[in-house]
DNA sequence: CACCATTAAATTGCACACAACTAAATTGCG
DNA sequence: CGCAATTTAGTTGTGTGCAATTTAATGGTG
């Protein structure tokens, strides 16, 4: 039952982020979305959805909440008016510094060695690749 | 970002179960709850919650739906009336046979070797243990 | 150019997760 | 024994995930 182990481990790890994210006023999905936006500065909802493997049914309300918090901006595309490009407000950009080093701090509290992290990362990307490519 | 890999891999694997579970009329959380019930035949909500790392806020409505589907029974404890013991209806017990071998069939469609599965299982239980014990 | 298939977001509906709270039963301590 | 702390389920409220549908814009084909 690898699937249950993934499901339980994912929830357990996410719960480790919760105290720090609560202090920033973010949920975990909001945080990972912001990470992608911080990295790209501006990004379409379409590309954000590909990066996170989430559809507009999840992202639309999530991004609406981030906009309501004054962290991001939404702008309709000019040459393709179907697209919406997400940008950062000063507050949204500033939040990157407050959240800096969070994954490292969490990883530090686990007992895994660096080598085990690399192994796990490799296996998880394999699993994810198998599970996604074959589905399409 | 092990946490995001877990989050993405978990969702990807769960989506692999979806077609088979749709045919059984189950969601993935309902399926994993039923697996525990099949194994124990009868179990209190408390113990089920410990096995799945889910609280009554999640389990109460989930079990109510399984009961509405005629798969499980709920019975108040006799010597401790706070507890509720879950049992199986004939339909709920029969479903075990229809769901037999599902994890193996899903695992077969991934490219991982048996050895990689063991490694992954080991690392995931380590992660889960670190993430849960230190939180408590 | 007209038209249809495709694409991007948003919306709706359902089922989790989880925090916070409530209600009822039990336990334990003075 | 009496009563406060604890335990067990259930309820409420918020925020995802994801299927299905809707709306609007784009692109390709005849």
């Amino acid at each position: 039952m690898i699937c249950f182990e993934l499901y339980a481990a994912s929830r357990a790890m996410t719960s480790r982020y919760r105290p720090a994210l609560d202090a920033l006023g973010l949920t975990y999905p909001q945080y990972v979305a912001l990470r992608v936006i911080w990295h790209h500065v501006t990004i379409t909802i379409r590309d954000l959805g590909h990066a996170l493997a989430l559809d507009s049914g999840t992202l639309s309300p999530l991004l609406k909440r981030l906009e309501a918090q004054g962290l991001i901006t939404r702008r309709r595309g000019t040459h393709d008016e179907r697209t919406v490009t997400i940008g950062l407000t000063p507050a949204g950009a500033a939040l990157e510094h407050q959240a800096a080093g969070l994954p490292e701090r969490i990883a530090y509290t686990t007992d895994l060695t660096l080598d085990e992290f690399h192994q796990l990362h490799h296996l998880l990307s394999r699993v994810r690749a198998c599970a996604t490519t074959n589905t399409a």
Side-chain angles (χ1 to χ4, degrees), chain A:
Chain A
M1 280 300 287
I2 286 295
C3 190
F4 176 75
E5 289 293 330
L6 284 169
Y7 164 74
S10 173
R11 285 186 295 123
M13 275 296 267
T14 300
S15 75
R16 297 283 281 190
Y17 276 76
R18 211 178 313 279
L21 292 180
D22 279 350
L24 300 177
L26 296 175
T27 64
Y28 183 75
Q30 290 168 4
Y31 167 69
V32 289
L34 272 176
R35 279 180 64 92
V36 176
I37 301 169
W38 286 331
H39 184 67
H40 291 270
V41 184
T42 62
I43 188 172
T44 61
I45 292 183
R46 176 182 157 279
D47 291 340
L48 184 59
H50 288 162
L52 301 173
L54 291 172
D55 67 5
S56 67
T58 301
L59 287 177
S60 280
L62 185 153
L63 294 171
K64 197 178 291 188
R65 287 180 201 107
L66 290 181
E67 188 186 27
Q69 288 185 56
L71 299 176
I72 63 166
T73 58
R74 304 155 75 84
R75 191 168 44 76
R76 277 280 160 191
T78 49
H79 78 283
D80 185 344
E81 293 190 13
R82 289 172 304 182
T83 66
V84 171
T85 298
I86 303 298
L88 287 164
T89 65
L95 205 58
E96 183 175 10
H97 302 292
Q98 300 177 46
L102 183 51
E104 290 77 7
R105 287 206 300 278
I106 302 293
Y108 187 75
T109 66
T110 67
D111 301 346
L112 274 67
T113 65
L114 194 58
D115 196 53
E116 287 174 324
F117 265 112
H118 290 322
Q119 276 184 47
L120 181 55
H121 190 281
H122 173 69
L123 289 170
L124 288 175
S125 28
R126 293 270 313 274
V127 164
R128 193 181 158 202
C130 298
T132 48
T133 56
N134 290 1
T135 300

